[in-house]
Amino acid sequence: LFLSFIFKTLKNLKNEFQQDELAFLALTTKIELPFRDRWSFLLYKELIQKSIYSSREWNRTDIALIQDNKPLVLIELKAMYSFDSIRKTKSGIHGDEQFLRAMANDVKKAIKLSNKNTDIYTVLLVTHPHNSIGIDHPANTAVKYRNYINKSFKNKTQEEIKGFVEARLENKLNKIGNIVYFDTIKGGNAFGVDMSIMYWLVKCNI
């Protein structure tokens, strides 16, 4: 029932940001919170006439659609960078594993808050820089995780990184639920870095 509203607002979300704003936000912090806040407001405007209310941080859930104080939809978001799928931690696992575990835990938390009529979704946002930032760039230190970004380009092009990340995460996310939508948003340029945001919408099994 609500998937059409979720699709509509999610697809329109890119129009809610100014030119290059997504690039600035994604390269200076994780994009999860501004993405969540704009999306929740779009859902609020879309559904309020139906007496369905979009809420942020409802019982520690990122976005909840509420009617008569009962959850109709619960949505959890997580944000990472494409280099997280490339890099390996000291223990030898890929850096994205911590985010995937957190998503699975969010689903468990949402299930406890749900009822038989509640739909649960989780969204993974992946900031993908298209180029490194030069060490001599005057804004070099303004870019969060610049060392990881630059390191990811040592042996791979941005197209190779994107292809690797898409294939790896699609396989991993299929274990959490059913991927119902995937898209890439052009984020523009900030600090001399072009970037985009890949995201997956996953419907979780209760």
Side-chain angles (χ1 to χ4, degrees):
L1 176 61
F2 296 102
L3 194 54
S4 61
F5 294 105
I6 291 172
F7 277 160
K8 179 181 178 180
T9 52
L10 197 53
K11 291 175 182 178
N12 289 338
L13 191 56
K14 59 186 176 184
N15 301 320
E16 298 298 307
F17 294 91
Q18 297 180 47
Q19 183 176 351
D20 298 328
E21 184 182 2
L22 273 172
F24 172 78
L25 292 172
L27 292 170
T28 54
T29 187
K30 286 189 176 176
I31 199 64
E32 176 184 342
L33 296 185
F35 195 96
R36 177 203 67 183
D37 293 347
R38 305 281 178 91
W39 188 18
S40 184
F41 183 58
L42 286 182
L43 286 165
Y44 173 80
K45 290 193 296 182
E46 189 75 26
L47 294 169
I48 190 171
Q49 298 301 323
K50 301 179 184 296
S51 297
I52 298 170
Y53 301 95
S54 174
S55 174
R56 297 173 303 150
E57 295 296 339
W58 182 83
N59 286 338
R60 297 178 62 200
T61 301
D62 286 323
I63 298 175
L65 302 183
I66 306 297
Q67 188 175 52
D68 297 327
N69 293 313
K70 296 178 181 178
L72 300 175
V73 177
L74 298 175
I75 305 172
E76 294 283 5
L77 295 90
K78 281 288 177 286
M80 53 173 271
Y81 293 81
S82 55
F83 64 69
D84 284 310
S85 288
I86 301 296
R87 71 180 181 90
K88 289 193 175 182
T89 65
K90 292 181 179 178
S91 58
I93 64 172
H94 286 267
D96 55 15
E97 290 291 346
Q98 63 178 311
F99 301 100
L100 294 163
R101 284 197 299 270
M103 290 177 73
N105 289 334
D106 280 345
V107 172
K108 292 177 182 178
K109 179 185 69 177
I111 289 174
K112 292 179 181 179
L113 295 170
S114 69
N115 57 58
K116 63 180 182 179
N117 298 314
T118 307
D119 289 333
I120 297 174
Y121 295 89
T122 185
V123 177
L124 180 61
L125 305 163
V126 180
T127 295
H128 176 52
H130 294 189
N131 58 280
S132 59
I133 181 167
I135 193 170
D136 296 324
H137 193 287
N140 178 40
T141 58
V143 177
K144 196 175 182 69
Y145 304 121
R146 62 192 181 280
N147 292 333
Y148 284 125
I149 292 172
N150 290 346
K151 189 175 180 180
S152 68
F153 285 102
K154 283 188 175 180
N155 300 312
K156 288 183 172 62
T157 65
Q158 74 92 1
E159 291 88 355
E160 290 171 334
I161 294 172
K162 187 174 188 294
F164 177 85
V165 172
E166 282 187 27
R168 174 175 167 80
L169 291 179
E170 181 173 337
N171 178 58
K172 295 288 184 177
L173 292 172
N174 272 322
K175 298 176 182 178
I176 296 176
N178 300 315
I179 298 173
V180 292
Y181 190 65
F182 167 80
D183 198 8
T184 300
I185 300 174
K186 293 180 180 179
N189 182 292
F191 311 107
V193 179
D194 291 320
M195 58 77 59
S196 56
I197 296 175
M198 297 178 276
Y199 67 88
W200 288 259
L201 174 67
V202 181
K203 190 175 190 300
C204 305
N205 300 319
I206 301 178

